[in-house]
Amino acid sequence: MKTPSPVKPLLGISLKVTSAVVFTMMSATLKTLAARYPVGEIVFFRSAFALLPLMLWLGWQGDLINAVRTRNVVGHFKRGFIGTGAMYLGFAALSYLPLHDAIAIGYASPLIAVILAALLLKETVRAYRWTAVGIGFVGVLIMLSPYLKVGTFGGDLNAGPTLGAMLAFTGAFCSAGAMIQVRRLTETEKTGAIVFYFFIMASGLSLCTLALGWRMPDSTDLALFVLIGILGGVGQILVTQSYRYADTSVIAPFEYTTMIWALLFGWFMFGDLPTLTVLVGAAIVAATGLFIVWREHRLGLLRTRALQVAPQRPGV
């Protein structure tokens, strides 16, 4: 039986924050291609080239063979379908929204993940955290409010920022489901296997869209596709590892740090500046995340003190 990973919240949080920076860089690069290439093609290159850093990482660990060993094939299929769906929706949203808006709307995902962690993983979520999640959803609704007006449809449902907002919000549900499935897989599977099978499945599923019309990238765009894949691979390894060391409900709120990087990349690369509405909503969501972290820290101190004074059980 596989030995459970040690609980190291600070390590898990650090890995999550680093992955947020890497994924934001990937999204900014991807946005430069989103208007010119089909979403299925982008998903394919992002997944296929992501195998490069994964194989290098596993080779460095001397763990290539174990990467394809699994005890939970069904779990990998579930994670693959849900995660690929999240990628499709998220990448499509970038075609219609500024970078920071697409990422900000995706902030609903960690909040949903906290709820799913309590319902599906039976993680303990106390009243304070439920309150923070509720307030966080108010922030998400504030960010969505500019896109909930009829005038933002741009004339039809096939174009305009409202469609992008709908795609981003739906993708947030898929991302939350993927978080939960990753947490389940880490109980029996190695990180390499989880990421490897996800990239294989995402590549295979995206190839099914080839008949819908792909275009051959030029050398510059191909280089960008390779960069997207490498960044995605590194980010996926980091985020998968992060869930080994802390509960989903603790790790998830640190997704909010992407807003800092999204603002910087959006400004420098696209000249986009966020509206006051987006900033207010994002600030509310980020504040709830910080509150959850503070609360978990306080509870951790209390648990540590309780263990120090509690008598040891025989045989422990």
Side-chain angles (χ1 to χ4, degrees):
M1 184 175 179
K2 185 177 181 292
T3 302
S5 298
V7 177
K8 297 180 179 180
L10 289 180
L11 177 57
I13 289 169
S14 298
L15 291 170
K16 178 64 176 178
V17 171
T18 305
S19 74
V21 178
V22 173
F23 277 131
T24 305
M25 293 174 61
M26 182 200 74
S27 296
T29 308
L30 186 151
K31 185 171 173 59
T32 65
L33 302 171
R36 304 196 305 275
Y37 293 91
V39 177
E41 184 174 0
I42 296 174
V43 172
F44 171 77
F45 281 108
R46 183 263 194 246
S47 304
F49 284 112
L51 288 168
L52 294 176
L54 174 63
M55 292 297 102
L56 289 174
W57 179 63
L58 293 175
W60 174 70
Q61 289 192 322
D63 206 22
L64 279 171
I65 295 178
N66 286 330
V68 297
R69 292 178 179 170
T70 177
R71 302 177 184 178
N72 192 353
V73 175
V74 175
H76 286 296
F77 270 99
K78 290 179 181 179
R79 191 269 190 273
F81 279 112
I82 298 172
T84 303
M87 276 205 293
Y88 268 87
L89 293 165
F91 292 176
L94 285 171
S95 301
Y96 301 102
L97 297 174
L99 177 64
H100 48 71
D101 282 10
I103 289 178
I105 293 172
Y107 280 177
S109 179
L111 300 176
I112 298 167
V114 171
I115 298 173
L116 294 179
L119 296 177
L120 302 179
L121 300 182
K122 308 303 180 184
E123 292 183 4
T124 301
V125 180
R126 297 171 178 82
Y128 286 99
R129 205 185 303 175
W130 282 123
T131 302
V133 168
I135 295 173
F137 269 114
V138 172
V140 173
L141 288 175
I142 291 174
M143 290 186 288
L144 283 173
S145 60
Y147 301 106
L148 300 179
K149 301 175 183 177
V150 176
T152 61
F153 274 89
D156 66 323
L157 191 59
N158 294 319
T162 296
L163 177 58
M166 292 169 61
L167 292 169
F169 191 63
T170 306
F173 277 89
C174 292
S175 295
M179 290 180 191
I180 298 302
Q181 190 58 32
V182 166
R183 182 61 175 169
R184 283 174 166 171
L185 286 170
T186 56
E187 295 176 359
T188 60
E189 306 293 293
K190 292 190 175 183
T191 299
I194 295 172
V195 181
F196 175 80
Y197 284 113
F198 171 62
F199 289 154
I200 291 295
M201 278 205 65
S203 299
L205 290 172
S206 58
L207 274 178
C208 296
T209 67
L210 183 61
L212 300 178
W214 287 14
R215 56 167 294 191
M216 182 66 67
D218 58 29
S219 57
T220 301
D221 287 350
L222 181 59
L224 292 177
F225 275 126
V226 173
L227 177 61
I228 288 170
I230 292 174
L231 290 174
V234 172
Q236 200 72 53
I237 292 169
L238 292 171
V239 74
T240 302
Q241 279 288 78
S242 71
Y243 287 106
R244 289 189 178 277
Y245 299 106
D247 288 346
T248 302
S249 49
V250 174
I251 292 293
F254 283 90
E255 185 71 18
Y256 308 140
T257 58
T258 54
M259 193 58 174
I260 300 172
W261 316 115
L263 289 172
L264 292 175
F265 284 115
W267 180 30
F268 284 111
M269 295 181 65
F270 308 106
D272 293 330
L273 292 174
T275 63
L276 180 61
T277 302
V278 172
L279 288 176
V280 170
I284 291 173
V285 176
T288 62
L290 292 174
F291 174 79
I292 290 173
V293 174
W294 174 81
R295 180 64 182 172
E296 286 301 313
H297 176 67
R298 294 288 299 173
L299 291 175
L301 292 177
L302 292 175
R303 294 190 198 104
T304 300
R305 291 169 185 167
L307 289 174
Q308 289 174 343
V309 301
Q312 292 291 316
R313 291 179 299 166
V316 174

